[in-house]
Amino acid sequence: MEATDPMEAWDVVVVGGGPAGAAAALAARRHGASVLVLDRADFPRDKVCGDGIAPEALDVLAALGVDVDAVTHGYPAVPRLRLTSPSGRTVERAMHRPAVVVPRAVLDGRVLEAALAAGAQFRRHTVRQITPGPDGVDVDGVLTTGVLVGADGAESVVRRALGTPANRPDRLAIAIRGYAPTSTEGVQVITTTDQRWPAYAWSFPIGDGRANVGYGELVGAGATRAELLAGLHRLLPGVEPEQLRAHRLPLSTGRPRQPDGRVLLAGDAASLINPMTGEGIFYAVLSGAFAGAAAAHGAQAGRVFRTALRQRLGTHLRHTSAASRLSSRPWLMDAAFGAAAADQRVFDDVVALGLADGRLTARTLVSAVGTLSRRR
């Protein structure tokens, strides 16, 4: 009887080469692990997204040793944000720190390149089955790893393999996105509406005369492609985008509990998407970085990772959940936008809550109540 070849072994296998997966690979390499990144696509490749990157996401990448100037090269900073409330109240201010808009076809490839330069390996492979065991995780019967990081997006194979159900419809959004000419260079635009509420459209300039434009709402509202397009044209009249694609957004209000053990979920796979804004890149790189660091703990990785996420994001996620419930009342959103128009500090608080890891501050709540009082 011939002996079979032993399976290929790695310290860490990351499923998904997007920002969450690349950040996990970078963090694991900083702990000296051998790292293999698997993705069903070659890079560069497009990913449906708003393309907006908060400065806090770049901070995480910089802490992992990434040259963020190289990552954002060719894409100018976007210093201002314009918000329109359901009733039509508009506020435009400079953000405390400017954002940048980099198409995901560019961003993901550049961050993955940084991970490969740090010593991670990449292989195109569609993962179909994972089998956790006491000493490691079997991947498709062809390789084994001490810890596996599932960073494979909203339709995560790794999440399904853990037996974790998908978000229910009221905790799942759907959005459509394309690219169109813009006249709002230097300004990110977010416009909300009380029609099919909660829903909003965005226009994020990428610096070459075009903007990433899109529209999203909750899956529970029963949106069709035609209704998504109608919402986009209603809120951004005259915009005729190309490269239209739709995607689902598993919101953090439906995030699963990270289990103990050797399999970790990061980014969209862990339903880490802000329920107020649909922002996910900051959560992706942060959770990926925590997952890659936790992988050094082997069988205890799940517990270590869960603790790290709770300590950094626990309060923030509770506050975004509360804000999401409050925002079900359009008049409260009007009040919050009015408060932001009156006070730069409130504006900054609202931006941090929606785009990074900010809190629902007492200043914002008091100012919003004051706005309501003045309107009566």
Side-chain angles (χ1 to χ4, degrees):
M1 180 176 179
E2 294 183 1
T4 58
D5 293 333
M7 285 200 298
E8 184 179 352
W10 295 82
D11 295 331
V12 179
V13 167
V14 180
V15 182
L26 283 158
R29 283 297 302 148
R30 290 172 75 85
H31 286 78
S34 61
V35 180
L36 176 65
V37 179
L38 302 175
D39 199 289
R40 63 184 180 181
D42 286 323
F43 285 70
R45 57 97 176 95
D46 189 23
K47 176 71 182 292
V48 183
C49 180
D51 296 342
I53 308 169
E56 290 82 1
L58 298 177
D59 292 343
V60 176
L61 293 175
L64 293 172
V66 176
D67 181 351
V68 296
D69 289 335
V71 167
T72 61
H73 177 72
Y75 298 90
V78 182
R80 300 184 68 81
L81 175 65
R82 182 187 306 157
L83 303 171
T84 301
S85 76
S87 70
R89 181 194 295 263
T90 296
V91 52
E92 180 182 320
R93 287 184 177 273
M95 290 181 280
H96 178 63
R97 296 172 65 194
V100 64
V101 184
V102 182
R104 291 289 297 275
V106 176
L107 175 75
D108 291 18
R110 288 178 175 178
V111 180
L112 181 59
E113 285 176 3
L116 302 184
Q121 301 294 310
F122 174 82
R123 187 175 303 165
R124 184 174 180 180
H125 175 81
T126 300
V127 173
R128 303 189 186 280
Q129 182 176 358
I130 66 166
T131 307
D135 301 317
V137 183
D138 179 292
V139 182
D140 290 334
V142 296
L143 58 88
T144 185
T145 179
V147 171
L148 183 139
V149 178
D152 49 340
E155 314 299 331
S156 173
V157 171
V158 176
R159 178 168 170 158
R160 291 200 299 271
L162 288 175
T164 303
N167 284 27
R168 68 193 198 198
D170 64 335
R171 297 178 180 181
L172 185 69
I174 186 168
I176 195 164
R177 174 233 70 182
Y179 292 91
T182 182
S183 59
T184 58
E185 294 289 354
V187 182
Q188 288 187 313
V189 175
I190 296 177
T191 302
T192 62
T193 174
D194 56 6
Q195 298 183 48
R196 301 182 64 83
W197 178 263
Y200 77 95
W202 71 86
S203 177
F204 296 165
I206 59 178
D208 63 356
R210 296 180 302 148
N212 178 309
V213 299
Y215 170 87
E217 60 182 56
L218 290 176
V219 167
T224 64
R225 183 180 178 89
E227 286 167 336
L228 292 174
L229 283 172
L232 176 62
H233 291 141
R234 183 170 61 250
L235 293 182
L236 297 175
V239 171
E240 296 297 336
E242 299 178 345
Q243 303 177 47
L244 278 168
R245 293 174 60 193
H247 64 301
R248 299 201 301 172
L249 303 167
L251 305 176
S252 63
T253 47
R255 67 190 182 279
R257 183 180 187 274
Q258 166 63 46
D260 290 335
R262 297 178 180 272
V263 181
L264 315 179
L265 296 174
D268 291 12
S271 296
L272 284 172
I273 293 180
N274 192 298
M276 300 292 297
T277 60
E279 145 52 46
I281 294 178
F282 169 67
Y283 290 164
V285 295
L286 183 66
S287 61
F290 284 162
H297 296 269
Q300 301 301 314
R303 176 184 58 79
V304 172
F305 178 47
R306 186 173 63 246
T307 300
L309 282 176
R310 183 179 67 249
Q311 291 176 344
R312 176 64 187 271
L313 288 179
T315 300
H316 163 75
L317 291 173
R318 289 193 295 273
H319 283 214
T320 56
S321 294
S324 179
R325 291 192 296 272
L326 291 171
S327 71
S328 64
R329 300 166 178 82
W331 52 271
L332 278 177
M333 289 292 288
D334 286 333
F337 281 33
D343 189 332
Q344 177 73 48
R345 297 172 303 169
V346 173
F347 182 87
D348 293 338
D349 290 345
V350 169
V351 171
L353 181 69
L355 301 182
D357 56 353
R359 312 293 173 86
L360 188 60
T361 64
R363 176 169 52 215
T364 296
L365 293 171
V366 170
S367 297
V369 170
T371 299
L372 283 173
S373 299
R374 289 190 294 273
R375 291 178 65 187
R376 289 176 179 172

